[in-house]
Amino acid sequence: MSLSVERTGDLDRKYFFIDGTWAAPSGDRVQEQIEAATGERIGVASLGTAADIDAAVRAARHALDEGPWGRTTAAERAAVLRRFADALDKRAGDTATLVSRENGMPIALSQMLNGGAPAGLLRMYADVVENLPLEEVRASQAGATIVRREPVGVVGAITPWNFPQALAMFKIAPALAAGCTVVLKPSPETALDAYVFADAAQEAGLPAGVLNIVLGDRDAGAALVSHPMVDKIAFTGSTATGRAIGQECGRLVRRVTLELGGKSAAIFLEDGNVETLLAGLGNAAFLNNSQTCTTQSRILIARSRYDEVVDAIAGFADAYRLGDPLDPSVTMGPMATQGHLERVLRHIEIAKGSDARLVTGGGRPDHLSRGWFVQPTVFADVHNSEHLAREEVFGPVLALIPFDDDADAVRIANDSNFGLGGSVWSADEDRALAVARRVRTGTIGLNYYTLDLGAPFGGFKDSGIGRELGPEGIAAYLEYKSVYASAKYLPA
Ligand code: NAD
């Protein structure tokens, strides 16, 4: 079943991937899939019910407990993961185009993060599990203890629409490497690209039931979270949803990792280089049209450099080229959905009613009559207690805030419910590092901000619980077991 990404024709996907095969939905609810840049219908996707989730979870449970997957060695799983990666590579170009149409991501970024990254993650976790001692023997008082790392079990993965392929693979790759089985419930706004995983998994010969995909909205997500046969939930999405999922997992004593929202700070110190800031600001603040959880939407600027940096950032924002994300010369695409555009515009209106000063942008661009576009928008003189400095906008709206000295910058950066991304800009990298060490956040860059898939990623405070990525990311999918044994198991 291959995907057509031509602009003509429908991409209707009215089936789920359960137990290694295409399954008809139990209900008849569908969601229209709308192209973000045009507002036109691309296709429809079925929405799953609790019954579809139940079928998928049972398949995952069976594959783990009865099927071959539960008895595979790390090397066998690594081989399957590498075949899965090869199958995704073949589809990378189409996948990138499809996601850009779904959520407005500029095509070059989509080629990296939807086309390329998922296969890279599968290969990385194949290497990780091959090099991880899954069983270690230690001397004990009574003889020996065999310390085992076992798969946590059936994983329910729930993902958002902003980086649909990468964020799903942040979970699927370490889970499969660890020996778990997975039920993925992607976001209904980007339902169509999820089928790429199913296609590629089939081609790679992933055993039936090891990866199952059921599309659906929050009801399907909630059914997955509370299903009695699920052992662990891996969630990426908003803090509000994460809180609800965390509560339910607490009640059920279910393992859970949460990757949530952010309101990260970029800190420009008095000795910062403006050229360096502008070279890195695209990644730090406007990546994926700012529909990125690590977006540094608060820019803290040393007061002695404030006017110069405000002007430079305004010019930088004005230079963005808005339009069709499939056009490689376009640097900013639309918001993912009409509903999300309306949310972003509401945040802008609230900021306009505050004491903040609108420097540039502030609404929809005049020259784009269709699609969910919003101008890159910059507000200066924002107080850190104001709405715009506290709430995640998830769109290209920056709050510029002056500070007095490095200690004041750290204080303002940390005065937030969130702690996910961040950056420090200084001609003296050691000085930047000293500031970075004091910011309570999961990731922070010195004079640039680029996600490193090889290092742990996650949030402090309301930005989440747990870490994904890097070799450390597999820990969330493993459970320790200590077997007390005789000394005969000790290495000679
Ligand atoms: P969302 O929380 O609305 O939805 C995320 C997923 O959860 C979707 O699949 C949705 O169908 C499902 N869902 C909704 N309610 C549910 C419930 N009660 N039970 C179970 N599942 C439920 O988030 P979104 O709008 O799709 O994504 C944007 C948010 O994601 C932003 O806040 C952003 O910061 C966050 N995000 C975080 C990271 C990270 O790694 N920290 C990465 C990307 C996005």
Side-chain angles (χ1 to χ4, degrees):
M1 204 166 294
S2 72
L3 291 165
S4 159
V5 291
E6 295 303 314
R7 272 225 150 93
T8 54
D10 280 347
L11 276 169
D12 291 354
R13 298 285 178 250
K14 294 189 181 171
Y15 42 83
F16 304 134
F17 187 60
I18 298 177
D19 208 14
T21 188
W22 303 107
S26 65
D28 55 8
R29 287 180 61 216
V30 293
Q31 170 144 336
E32 290 218 316
Q33 302 293 306
I34 306 296
E35 180 162 359
T38 64
E40 283 171 13
R41 177 185 183 283
I42 317 176
V44 299
S46 291
L47 292 176
T49 63
D52 299 310
I53 291 286
D54 181 60
V57 173
R58 283 176 189 282
R61 187 84 253 168
H62 183 82
L64 187 73
D65 295 345
E66 317 291 339
W69 194 248
R71 294 188 295 279
T72 49
T73 64
E76 287 165 347
R77 291 196 297 278
V80 177
L81 262 57
R82 291 188 182 109
R83 289 204 304 275
F84 194 0
D86 293 343
L88 284 175
D89 274 348
K90 285 190 212 163
R91 296 160 172 80
D94 284 356
T95 308
T97 305
L98 179 59
V99 176
S100 289
R101 294 185 68 195
E102 289 176 313
N103 73 2
M105 185 183 298
I107 187 67
L109 181 66
S110 196
Q111 280 158 354
M112 273 192 287
L113 285 171
N114 297 302
L121 287 166
L122 284 166
R123 294 191 180 102
M124 181 174 95
Y125 282 106
D127 293 346
V128 166
V129 76
E130 273 184 334
N131 292 299
L132 193 70
L134 294 176
E135 210 168 82
E136 288 173 67
V137 185
R138 301 177 189 169
S140 71
Q141 272 180 332
T145 298
I146 304 164
V147 178
R148 287 175 51 73
R149 288 181 167 105
E150 298 189 352
V152 74
V154 173
V155 173
I158 302 176
T159 49
W161 45 258
N162 59 332
F163 292 94
Q165 292 271 307
L167 293 173
M169 202 49 92
F170 281 19
K171 300 159 183 53
I172 295 170
L176 297 186
C180 299
T181 56
V182 177
V183 176
L184 172 67
K185 204 297 284 171
S187 180
E189 288 84 1
T190 46
L192 299 174
D193 68 86
Y195 287 91
V196 176
F197 288 132
D199 252 355
Q202 271 196 326
E203 183 181 313
L206 207 67
V210 173
L211 174 64
N212 307 274
I213 301 171
V214 177
L215 303 175
D217 55 17
R218 63 170 52 206
D219 295 342
L224 182 56
V225 170
S226 57
H227 195 292
M229 288 181 183
V230 169
D231 296 293
K232 181 205 154 61
I233 293 295
F235 172 75
T236 299
S238 63
T239 294
T241 304
R243 226 182 271 286
I245 289 176
Q247 271 175 358
E248 180 66 355
C249 289
R251 190 181 73 78
L252 295 164
V253 196
R254 181 150 300 167
R255 281 118 196 86
V256 63
T257 38
L258 304 170
E259 298 284 358
L260 310 176
K263 191 76 206 180
S264 302
I267 303 173
F268 186 86
L269 301 181
E270 63 188 350
D271 66 346
N273 181 313
V274 174
E275 294 304 312
T276 309
L277 175 70
L278 298 188
L281 197 60
N283 264 355
F286 287 140
L287 190 77
N288 192 21
N289 323 324
S290 303
Q291 299 175 127
T292 300
C293 51
T294 54
T295 291
Q296 286 143 54
S297 51
R298 288 186 299 154
I299 307 206
L300 318 187
I301 304 165
R303 209 177 285 279
S304 61
R305 304 285 302 283
Y306 188 66
D307 292 341
E308 169 200 354
V309 178
V310 169
D311 286 349
I313 292 174
F316 179 78
D318 287 342
Y320 265 81
R321 189 154 176 259
L322 273 63
D324 182 352
L326 298 185
D327 175 348
S329 69
V330 159
T331 47
M332 187 174 285
M335 300 293 92
T337 64
Q338 184 173 10
H340 184 53
L341 169 67
E342 285 163 7
R343 268 197 300 277
V344 172
L345 292 173
R346 269 200 302 277
H347 285 293
I348 292 175
E349 288 313 309
I350 293 172
K352 281 180 179 170
S354 75
D355 290 339
R357 170 166 59 96
L358 178 63
V359 181
T360 192
R364 303 190 65 169
D366 293 335
H367 68 287
L368 292 163
S369 57
R370 59 180 198 161
W372 320 129
F373 292 92
V374 62
Q375 293 171 312
T377 297
V378 178
F379 285 94
D381 311 344
V382 177
H383 195 276
N384 200 50
S385 61
E386 280 169 13
H387 176 93
L388 190 64
R390 308 217 67 87
E391 299 296 321
E392 182 180 49
V393 174
F394 224 53
V397 185
L398 303 183
L400 274 40
I401 303 171
F403 66 82
D404 295 326
D405 55 23
D406 293 9
D408 193 34
V410 170
R411 182 190 61 75
I412 297 171
N414 286 337
D415 178 15
S416 170
N417 292 338
F418 299 107
L420 191 58
S423 56
V424 190
W425 307 78
S426 167
D428 176 352
E429 196 171 4
D430 294 339
R431 179 177 177 177
L433 178 59
V435 169
R437 286 195 173 115
R438 294 166 61 200
V439 179
R440 300 197 63 225
T441 188
T443 58
I444 188 159
L446 309 182
N447 292 315
Y448 72 92
Y449 186 87
T450 304
L451 191 66
D452 175 7
L453 300 179
F457 172 81
F460 282 46
K461 302 189 267 183
D462 290 3
S463 291
I465 295 176
R467 292 293 179 270
E468 296 187 310
L469 297 181
E472 293 83 355
I474 200 168
Y477 299 95
L478 292 165
E479 196 79 89
Y480 281 110
K481 179 192 280 179
S482 296
V483 183
Y484 307 134
S486 74
K488 84 168 192 170
Y489 293 100
L490 285 173

